[in-house]
Amino acid sequence: KTFFIILSSKSSQEWLQLKHFFLSFLAITSSLCFASDPSALQDFCIADNTSNVFVNGFVCKNPAMVAANDFFLSGLNKPGDTSSPPGSKVTPANVAQIPGLNTLGVSLAPIDYAPSGLNPPHTHPRATEILVVLKGTLYVGFVTSNTDNKLFSKVLYEGDVFVFPQGLIHFQFNHGPLNAVAFVGFGSQNPGTITIANAVFGSKPPIFYNVLAKAFQVSKEIVDKLQAQFWPDN
């Protein structure tokens, strides 16, 4: 109450000075909050996997030690092993495999699918994904966030392209009778992957069954059965 009395006693000139002060303060703090480097400050920053320093990304290797192999990866022409339960195999080509991708904001992965193979519902917390079908037929889709939960899906054929927005749950299913192959690109050097079933039912330690039973409206027996399964990373 005292505070409002003091404010109400201010003259017009004093109010104008206060207004200018707060506008100046906001301008200064906004500049500080949004300051950033507009572009890379060097040609490259090769990831130094031997460093004990932790940063958002990877510490740069000494430029004098950089070689062509830091930007190179071979073997993506070899078919991935699709004998896992989902019937698909993602072969990552991100900063963990190509140190030269550090700070560059891109990566990719070929995906192999057996007949009826599935890349299970998952998300990439740090990247949008773009997929092109090289061989076969895929049924793909993603679901929007709450509360719409709208499904956008399509059957893709060789040469078709589809985009999965960052952070949204999406999937790919081999819709044809033969093996299928796709290449995906990511807008991150390290997009990350959260496979929904793995995270929910394969967490270590397990999520308390009461939580899952109530969330999915199923019995404890079903939760126990799902948690007892082997949930492989794809």
Side-chain angles (χ1 to χ4, degrees):
K1 184 176 179 181
T2 304
F3 175 75
F4 286 107
I5 292 173
I6 293 172
L7 286 181
S8 62
S9 66
K10 295 287 185 184
S11 66
S12 298
Q13 182 64 30
E14 288 173 321
W15 273 113
L16 186 61
Q17 291 174 346
L18 279 173
K19 180 179 178 181
H20 287 164
F21 170 79
F22 279 111
L23 288 175
S24 300
F25 176 78
L26 287 174
I28 294 170
T29 55
S30 296
S31 298
L32 291 174
C33 292
F34 294 104
S36 63
D37 293 324
S39 59
L41 302 180
Q42 55 213 19
D43 290 341
F44 47 74
C45 173
I46 308 304
D48 182 358
N49 295 318
T50 65
S51 175
N52 292 322
V53 178
F54 292 94
V55 297
N56 184 22
F58 295 91
V59 174
C60 300
K61 181 190 288 188
N62 184 340
M65 305 296 293
V66 173
N69 278 343
D70 290 318
F71 304 92
F72 174 76
L73 179 68
S74 65
L76 296 189
N77 60 319
K78 299 176 182 177
D81 182 5
T82 58
S83 62
S84 64
S88 68
K89 175 61 178 177
V90 178
T91 304
N94 57 45
V95 69
Q97 292 78 36
I98 309 174
L101 286 176
N102 192 35
T103 74
L104 298 186
V106 294
S107 58
L108 57 82
I111 310 178
D112 294 91
Y113 310 82
S116 297
L118 171 70
N119 191 10
H122 62 281
T123 71
H124 300 293
R126 295 183 289 274
T128 292
E129 174 182 339
I130 183 168
L131 175 147
V132 57
V133 179
L134 301 184
K135 177 183 176 182
T137 306
L138 295 177
Y139 169 61
V140 307
F142 66 86
V143 180
T144 63
S145 56
N146 296 352
T147 57
D148 291 340
N149 300 129
K150 184 176 180 180
L151 172 66
F152 289 88
S153 63
K154 196 168 183 66
V155 175
L156 305 181
Y157 302 92
E158 293 180 9
D160 288 348
V161 175
F162 201 81
V163 174
F164 306 100
Q166 179 175 340
L168 297 186
I169 296 174
H170 59 283
F171 61 87
Q172 303 109 32
F173 175 75
N174 185 352
H175 194 61
L178 303 175
N179 290 344
V181 180
F183 254 82
V184 297
F186 299 103
S188 170
Q189 68 182 36
N190 185 21
T193 301
I194 302 172
T195 304
I196 307 305
N198 298 32
V200 173
F201 295 106
S203 67
K204 304 176 185 66
I207 298 173
F208 191 42
Y209 76 87
N210 277 356
V211 174
L212 299 180
K214 189 166 187 176
F216 291 93
Q217 301 181 50
V218 297
S219 67
K220 177 182 183 299
E221 289 71 26
I222 292 177
V223 171
D224 290 340
K225 181 178 179 180
L226 290 170
Q227 288 185 323
Q229 292 190 41
F230 173 66
W231 296 97
D233 292 326
N234 196 22

